[in-house]
Amino acid sequence: MDTANQLVSTGTFRVVKEPLGFLRILEWLFAIFAFATCGGYSGQLKISVDCQNKTDSDLNVGIEFAYPFRLHQVYFDAPTCDGKRRERLFLIGDYSSSAEFFVTIAVFAFLYSLGATVVYIFYQNKYRENNRGPLIDFIVTVAFSFMWLSHQPSLFFLNSSAWAKGLSDVKTATDPDEVLLLISACKVQSNKCLPLRKPVWASLNTSVVFGFLNFVLWAGNIWFVFKETGWHSSTQRYPTSTTEKKPSGYNQQSYNQGRYEQENIGQSGGTNPPGDFGQQSNYGQMGGYGQVGYAPNEPTSFAN
């Protein structure tokens, strides 16, 4: 208990209010939503096979599937409309790679965001020591930004997320109209095959949205992490030094100019009018009345 209180007392919770720490907390929350909406999904579709011989019909064929969407392992039994015999059919496609990749990235993003937030709060000095912490943080942030976008660099935006493309393929493979094409009895015109229920995609659509939101968060956080590195500090040194030299250069130039004007005034014997008695000491220094305009015997005659 004392150790926990000591950590809380030494922790710098101010960083949570700054963009760096605040974005980490948002990344932590959005990562939870991403892997929860995808990894916990299970769906069902239903079809109806109405045979010409009504006794062979099955008007409620349910097909269930779930994460990680290895659809080629999902099977169902459909009537053949030839007596009581039924056929076992499998869905088409294996989309586990893109789905598992998405959930894995979300889990690791969750763990890293949580760990980084703890470091920001309780180990700020070690984080900034030798600038290694910000550099590692910057590299990991860039890597996660890229992985949230895609694990296939050749893909374009909007189709660049592997899971977004995988979800589109899952929707196609589980479309009841596509599943009906797999049933041999539905190829006979005398039999009527109809879709009854489509899967609900709200959860998986939300996971894709959170995937792109995570990309935006991690990509936007690159700048704030970059500001903590030494690279950002080095780019600020040169402009700072130049701005500090300008005022000193200006003052030196003003001082030299003023000194040059005083020397010219001193050599020319002064330009102030003789009646300005407040500046008589200046005349004495620059060669005033006693040295320029009067003979040596005039002060004696003035005294007499």
Side-chain angles (χ1 to χ4, degrees):
M1 186 67 179
D2 295 337
T3 305
N5 293 333
Q6 184 178 2
L7 287 175
V8 172
S9 61
T10 58
T12 307
F13 290 93
R14 178 177 53 84
V15 72
V16 178
K17 300 180 181 180
E18 299 176 355
L20 181 64
F22 182 71
L23 288 177
R24 284 292 184 226
I25 294 178
L26 289 181
E27 292 167 357
W28 176 70
L29 291 175
F30 280 35
I32 295 177
F33 295 146
F35 69 73
T37 53
C38 180
Y41 178 83
S42 61
Q44 184 185 45
L45 64 102
K46 290 184 178 181
I47 56 177
S48 172
V49 180
D50 188 6
C51 301
Q52 185 176 8
N53 185 3
K54 301 300 182 180
T55 58
D56 299 336
S57 301
D58 190 345
L59 303 180
N60 190 9
V61 179
I63 306 171
E64 296 182 354
F65 62 96
Y67 172 86
F69 308 106
R70 294 187 178 93
L71 300 183
H72 67 289
Q73 297 179 357
V74 177
Y75 63 88
F76 63 97
D77 295 328
T80 60
C81 295
D82 184 14
K84 297 295 183 180
R85 189 172 61 88
R86 302 174 72 90
E87 60 179 347
R88 174 160 293 184
L89 301 172
F90 290 84
L91 298 180
I92 299 175
D94 181 6
Y95 308 101
S96 59
S97 60
S98 58
E100 289 176 339
F101 176 82
F102 180 83
V103 172
T104 301
I105 294 302
V107 171
F108 278 105
F110 160 78
L111 295 175
Y112 182 81
S113 300
L114 179 61
T117 304
V118 173
V119 171
Y120 293 161
I121 296 175
F122 299 107
Y123 304 99
Q124 187 68 228
N125 295 332
K126 292 184 179 180
Y127 172 76
R128 299 180 183 276
E129 184 178 358
N130 298 326
N131 203 34
R132 295 177 60 183
L135 290 178
I136 295 175
D137 197 15
F138 175 76
I139 294 173
V140 174
T141 302
V142 173
F144 268 107
S145 300
F146 175 77
M147 287 187 293
W148 273 118
L149 182 63
S150 173
H151 71 289
Q152 298 181 8
S154 61
L155 295 176
F156 295 97
F157 192 74
L158 296 180
N159 281 330
S160 58
S161 173
W163 171 229
K165 181 63 169 59
L167 177 57
S168 177
D169 294 337
V170 171
K171 289 180 179 181
T172 301
T174 57
D175 188 347
D177 292 327
E178 296 294 328
V179 175
L180 290 176
L181 298 177
L182 302 175
I183 302 175
S184 59
C186 297
K187 298 177 182 179
V188 180
Q189 295 182 353
S190 58
N191 301 324
K192 295 181 180 180
C193 299
L194 298 173
L196 297 180
R197 177 182 176 184
K198 293 184 178 182
V200 179
W201 303 111
S203 176
L204 295 183
N205 290 335
T206 304
S207 69
V208 173
V209 173
F210 277 112
F212 281 106
L213 288 177
N214 274 284
F215 164 71
V216 172
L217 284 175
W218 285 85
N221 204 17
I222 291 176
W223 166 247
F224 296 104
V225 179
F226 175 75
K227 290 174 64 177
E228 301 294 326
T229 63
W231 299 331
H232 180 266
S233 300
S234 62
T235 57
Q236 297 295 324
R237 292 176 182 175
Y238 180 76
T240 303
S241 60
T242 55
T243 54
E244 292 177 353
K245 289 182 179 179
K246 287 182 179 180
S248 60
Y250 177 79
N251 294 334
Q252 183 69 24
Q253 182 179 3
S254 301
Y255 173 78
N256 293 334
Q257 184 177 359
R259 184 176 180 182
Y260 176 77
E261 292 176 356
Q262 289 182 1
E263 291 177 354
N264 290 340
I265 295 173
Q267 294 176 2
S268 61
T271 59
N272 293 329
D276 192 358
F277 297 103
Q279 298 181 359
Q280 288 182 359
S281 60
N282 292 335
Y283 290 112
Q285 294 177 2
M286 296 185 291
Y289 296 110
Q291 297 180 6
V292 179
Y294 299 93
N297 57 352
E298 286 183 357
T300 304
S301 61
F302 179 77
N304 294 329

